Amino acid sequence: MKKTWIFFKLRMLQLKSDKTALFFCYVLPVLLLLGIGYPLQLQSDPKITLYYQDEIQSDVSRSFLERLRDTSVIELIKYDAASGNLDQEISENKIKRVLQLLPEGKQPGFHGTNIVESVSASTEANPEMNIFISKNNIDENRIENVALTGIVNNALTNEKQQEVGQYVLASDRMSSYLVTLLPGLIGMTLMIVGLNGFGGVLIEEEHVGLFKNLKTVDISPVPFLSGLFLSRLLICYSVAVALCLMASLVFDVSFGFDIPLFALIVTLGSVAFLGVGLVIAAISPSTTAFNGIVNFVQLPFIILGGVFVSITKFPEWLQYICMFIPLTQLNAAMQKVLFESMTLSNIGDLGIELSILTAWCIASLVIARLKFNW
């Protein structure tokens, strides 16, 4: 244990003098969070997705929906009432807005405690049809919602002006871009630390003869690797906390996540990538080969791991492949903890994510044990 502590302190001193490593561990993730987060916050989709429910099924309602389909900026999607709880899906931003065509006298069946604002629909022009737009109060959807209300009003070609009813539901979700970006940057940084900050250091030190020098003084590889492992694990914890604090200060994100569960996920993700880094270092015959293998692994992980874009944007067959990538599961678990109030009491909901991360931890460490030569 004493030797492990000595090597740990040496590694932290080594890192202190390595300005490049500090840049990639701490500065680059912050720059990416700011540089990508702000533009995405200001960017709107080229098409406004609008789910709809037509409970009237009359010529009038179908004609109205056809006029909306003819507009170039709206994508109409029929909402399946059996798919879930509508007000919950709107509040959680899974569905941004729903257009409801209801019979005369019927109102959207939302819970009163969840309604922030409501405007009744005017039925002077079409007494048999009430038209409502239900949405949430997330700021990023505000511009689209205003534009959509104007488009829907323009599609009401009646002699008398018909007012569209509106329901605004409360949401504790922040920008969906940040919901994807922040966990993605945390996961990507842990991967960089594991592959480059752990495996890269080992392969370089091996090829400058450090391993041979240590063997001459009869040092076991266990404290040597443990010291480096613990130092990189500490970096992973500090980076994850630093990015959360940055999101809180810059984007006004309010966090109330479960700290033990957060620490567990960071630990599993870090150990998985540290283990992968050790495996790559153990099987690489040279530093050049190591860099090539790392690039071959990192690029698909970043693209398919949901760092900058949610994997739900991919084809369904590709999503199944993404599920086996540790970065995907780390990002998914981190998103649930940070933004969906997941706690240790309902840790069962993270069963898939934690199981796959644990499998990567065990598999990588076992393979590294078999392949690593001192």
Side-chain angles (χ1 to χ4, degrees), residues 102-205:
L102 305 177
E104 179 185 2
K106 186 173 181 180
Q107 300 288 322
F110 296 125
H111 303 299
T113 56
N114 201 32
I115 298 174
V116 175
E117 178 185 345
S118 64
V119 177
S120 298
S122 171
T123 59
E124 294 179 2
N126 284 318
E128 78 277 11
M129 182 171 68
N130 281 355
I131 303 176
F132 291 91
I133 297 177
S134 302
K135 53 199 175 183
N136 57 45
N137 62 346
I138 297 179
D139 286 340
E140 75 171 34
N141 300 330
R142 183 175 52 191
I143 296 177
E144 287 185 354
N145 290 337
V146 172
L148 180 65
T149 302
I151 294 171
V152 172
N153 282 325
N154 290 335
L156 292 169
T157 56
N158 303 304
E159 294 180 0
K160 296 181 179 180
Q161 180 65 36
Q162 180 171 2
E163 183 180 352
V164 177
Q166 298 189 45
Y167 274 72
V168 180
L169 307 183
S171 176
D172 57 359
R173 302 269 298 187
M174 53 281 309
S175 163
S176 62
Y177 299 120
L178 277 180
V179 169
T180 298
L181 182 62
L182 180 59
L185 287 180
I186 293 175
M188 185 187 72
T189 307
L190 300 190
M191 181 183 68
I192 292 174
V193 172
L195 301 188
N196 296 287
F198 185 66
V201 170
L202 287 176
I203 195 70
E204 288 180 5
E205 292 179 345

Side-chain angles (χ1 to χ4, degrees), residues 83-101:
S83 64
N85 187 304
L86 180 57
D87 56 350
Q88 181 178 350
E89 290 186 282
I90 295 175
S91 296
E92 294 179 355
N93 208 36
K94 294 178 180 178
I95 293 177
K96 293 183 178 181
R97 56 196 72 84
V98 174
L99 177 71
Q100 295 171 291
L101 308 181

Side-chain angles (χ1 to χ4, degrees), residues 35-97:
I36 297 174
Y38 272 126
L40 288 179
Q41 287 284 76
L42 301 176
Q43 178 183 346
S44 61
D45 296 329
K47 276 188 173 292
I48 301 176
T49 301
L50 177 61
Y51 285 82
Y52 73 91
Q53 285 182 309
D54 184 3
E55 296 188 12
I56 302 174
Q57 298 291 326
S58 67
D59 292 338
V60 174
S61 64
R62 283 190 286 268
S63 175
F64 172 67
L65 291 174
E66 282 302 318
R67 289 196 294 272
L68 285 180
R69 284 193 182 94
D70 291 339
T71 62
S72 59
V73 294
I74 291 181
E75 179 184 6
L76 277 178
I77 302 175
K78 187 175 182 179
Y79 177 75
D80 183 7
S83 64
N85 187 304
L86 180 57
D87 56 350
Q88 181 178 350
E89 290 186 282
I90 295 175
S91 296
E92 294 179 355
N93 208 36
K94 294 178 180 178
I95 293 177
K96 293 183 178 181
R97 56 196 72 84

